[in-house]
Amino acid sequence: GFPKTATTTLQTVMMDHAACAYLGKGLRDTMEPSLSLDIAGAVFFSDTLRFADRAPALRDRIAAEAEGASCLMLSDEAFSFAEYMQIGTQWGCKTVTDHVVIADRIAALCPEAHVLMSTRNQLSFLQSFFRQTAKRRHAQERPFESFVDEMLAVLPHRSMLHALRYDEALRAYQGRFGADRVMVTPYESYSGDFGPYLTSVAQFCGRDPEAVALPWGGIHPNTAHGSR
């Protein structure tokens, strides 16, 4: 899911759900090691030969983690937002931006996967992300328009605008996995009431909604830096 779409809340709930093997982003630091982050690195920052070389070991790791688990969740904002993640500079490669290639690579690693895609109105997302970035950089006086101009200037690489073409990503995932295995959840539909969203996610994952919601205490843990 995209940042600013309550992904941290969902990750926290699934991490604490006893029946789920959660292999997603660590919540203390985006760069905390995880299998999800390793997969994102291979999918988004490997050339064709390097991906083919890394894929068997990643498939083995996924299979080992999935053994005995009724639910396996891989979750990291990098899957939606890789072009603007620091991991791109870490691996020293350009970002793969072709949504079809991305979907094919994920399917090569997890052929039976169900894809949960959380989105947010693009303008609302940009404004929220801008507020967060400005606060972190102590640049509250920077005009929002200059931030948008910066993103336009660096398309398609290192720009979040390409990632916000939801229709392209959705077509690629549906084409590769099937429409019944792809669920899109707009942030606006659950920002005021997270409970029904958890129910729909649980049903999509084949889990008991009450069991999934049990770890959730009605609190969004990541409310810093203009999350709304």
Side-chain angles (χ1 to χ4, degrees):
F2 278 86
K4 325 308 295 178
T5 62
T7 47
T8 299
T9 304
L10 179 61
Q11 288 163 345
T12 301
V13 170
M14 297 306 288
M15 180 181 292
D16 292 337
H17 177 42
C20 176
Y22 175 81
L23 306 174
K25 184 192 79 173
L27 300 180
R28 292 181 299 279
D29 185 344
T30 301
M31 296 301 293
E32 185 173 323
S34 69
L35 180 54
S36 285
L37 193 61
D38 289 344
I39 291 173
V43 169
F44 291 97
F45 299 103
S46 296
D47 59 31
T48 302
L49 292 177
R50 190 180 182 201
F51 176 78
D53 183 60
R54 297 180 67 182
L58 288 172
R59 281 194 294 265
D60 289 345
R61 289 175 63 188
I62 293 169
E65 295 288 352
E67 188 173 355
S70 58
C71 176
L72 178 73
M73 186 171 195
L74 300 165
S75 177
D76 198 293
E77 284 86 346
F79 288 114
S80 300
F81 207 51
E83 291 139 272
Y84 208 68
M85 300 291 289
Q86 294 178 354
I87 52 177
T89 56
Q90 174 185 333
W91 278 297
C93 302
K94 284 187 176 181
T95 312
V96 176
T97 58
D98 188 309
H99 294 294
V100 174
V101 173
I102 292 165
D104 285 347
R105 288 184 171 190
I106 292 175
L109 299 176
C110 309
E112 302 301 320
H114 286 60
V115 179
L116 177 64
M117 182 177 171
S118 62
T119 62
R120 182 171 179 168
N121 173 276
Q122 287 94 332
L123 180 58
S124 172
F125 170 80
L126 288 171
Q127 290 170 333
S128 180
F129 193 86
F130 170 71
R131 288 194 296 270
Q132 173 180 324
T133 303
K135 286 182 179 180
R136 285 180 173 174
R137 297 178 180 176
H138 306 288
Q140 287 90 334
E141 302 303 317
R142 182 187 183 188
F144 174 65
E145 290 75 11
S146 70
F147 172 72
V148 175
D149 288 341
E150 178 185 305
M151 293 297 99
L152 290 170
V154 292
L155 278 172
H157 296 289
R158 305 298 297 164
S159 171
M160 65 185 70
L161 299 183
H162 175 78
L164 296 177
R165 294 167 177 161
Y166 303 144
D167 58 330
E168 295 180 9
L170 179 60
R171 282 197 299 270
Y173 283 125
Q174 288 182 334
R176 193 63 182 83
F177 293 94
D180 61 324
R181 287 165 56 191
V182 180
M183 178 180 174
V184 180
T185 57
Y187 171 76
E188 291 77 10
S189 69
Y190 57 83
S191 58
D193 189 352
F194 198 74
Y197 170 65
L198 275 183
T199 296
S200 64
V201 171
Q203 292 170 340
F204 180 67
C205 297
R207 303 290 92 213
D208 175 24
E210 291 187 5
V212 170
L214 192 61
W216 178 57
I219 300 173
H220 295 265
N222 187 13
T223 56
H225 303 302
S227 59
R228 293 190 178 275

